[in-house]
Amino acid sequence: MKELREAIETLGRAAGTNVVKVDMFLNHRIETSLLFRMGEVLADYFRDDHPTQVLTVESSGIALALTTAHFLGDLPVVFAKKSPTVVQSDDVVQAPVYSFTHKCNNMIRVDKHYLPIHSNVLIVDDFLADGQAASGMISLCEQLDCKAVGVGIGIEKGFQPGGRLLREKGVKLKSLAVVEKIEDGKIFLAPDDD
Ligand code: 5GP
């Protein structure tokens, strides 16, 4: 997506060889018009899959989930919460997720009342790296007998295995920008696929 590529190229920063920092427009300060445009593109891509809910994980996925849900007809957004401990309750389902950025295990959880059985769920997140967060959210959908209709991502890091693993599993995946590599502090983007 042209606008996102430009934002990464002008405002993105590399941290080491495998972290992309986009605090200037996505993760700390939010560039509103860009987030709406990103949501519009994801919504167009998944519209024919007829999602009834958008699911993300707190906190950095929420902005993109919200704009995507808006362009899908103001669908509800459910964000999975991160919990440091294992919560035992009949009202929640949970799944383990290893956090790439914080290097720790989290349980993510949702209250089952917010993802009704047989919902068509579009999963949205800001980044795709090893695929832990997306796989955890797919697991939440499976536990609740919901259908994960696809995964929409802002920035996929193509040098990490998450994208390949999801595609191999047959998951419908759309990433708005793909980082091929980080070298000498520079971020290299893959050509757009559209
Ligand atoms: P995964 O679960 O696919 O390994 O990682 C995705 C999650 O980790 C996203 O929810 C995102 O918040 C965070 N993440 C992974 N890589 C990066 C990165 O390079 N930069 C930032 N800002 N977040 C990342």
Side-chain angles (χ1 to χ4, degrees):
M1 188 194 137
K2 182 170 163 285
E3 300 92 324
L4 178 58
R5 292 176 62 88
E6 285 171 4
I8 296 169
E9 281 165 357
T10 54
L11 303 172
R13 299 281 175 266
T17 53
N18 59 10
V19 173
V20 178
K21 288 197 68 91
V22 287
D23 287 4
M24 184 65 181
F25 61 91
L26 187 60
N27 285 149
H28 194 29
R29 172 183 181 271
I30 291 175
E31 198 65 58
T32 311
S33 59
L34 175 62
L35 265 289
F36 272 96
R37 179 70 191 129
M38 291 166 68
E40 187 175 20
V41 175
L42 285 183
D44 287 347
Y45 192 80
F46 289 105
R47 181 162 288 108
D48 291 346
D49 300 297
H50 305 293
T52 57
Q53 313 257 345
V54 174
L55 173 65
T56 188
V57 63
E58 67 176 355
S59 60
S60 55
I62 294 175
L64 183 56
L66 186 75
T67 59
T68 305
H70 170 69
F71 285 105
L72 285 167
D74 291 327
L75 298 180
V77 174
V78 178
F79 58 93
K81 298 198 173 196
K82 292 174 184 163
S83 147
T85 52
V86 177
V87 180
Q88 294 295 343
S89 161
D90 288 346
D91 289 334
V92 301
V93 290
Q94 52 190 6
V97 166
Y98 181 77
S99 167
F100 176 80
T101 39
H102 296 105
K103 307 281 179 242
C104 64
N105 279 305
N106 287 313
M107 294 301 284
I108 60 167
R109 60 192 156 86
V110 294
D111 186 313
K112 57 174 69 165
H113 300 105
Y114 300 142
L115 282 183
I117 189 167
H118 303 321
S119 299
N120 275 352
V121 180
L122 174 61
I123 292 167
V124 170
D125 207 359
D126 60 339
F127 271 90
L128 176 63
D130 290 335
Q132 287 276 315
S135 299
M137 287 188 273
I138 290 171
S139 164
L140 296 178
C141 292
E142 287 170 352
Q143 292 177 59
L144 292 170
D145 287 327
C146 294
K147 183 177 178 197
V149 297
V151 175
I153 296 290
I155 303 171
E156 175 182 340
K157 293 187 294 180
F159 55 87
Q160 290 184 245
R164 178 176 52 78
L165 295 174
L166 292 178
R167 290 183 182 96
E168 279 173 5
K169 282 187 194 156
V171 173
K172 180 173 176 180
L173 171 65
K174 173 69 177 172
S175 301
L176 299 176
V178 178
V179 175
E180 271 182 344
K181 62 177 177 178
I182 300 173
E183 222 170 66
D184 299 327
K186 187 168 164 27
I187 298 166
F188 291 85
L189 296 171
D192 276 347
D193 59 4
D194 43 17

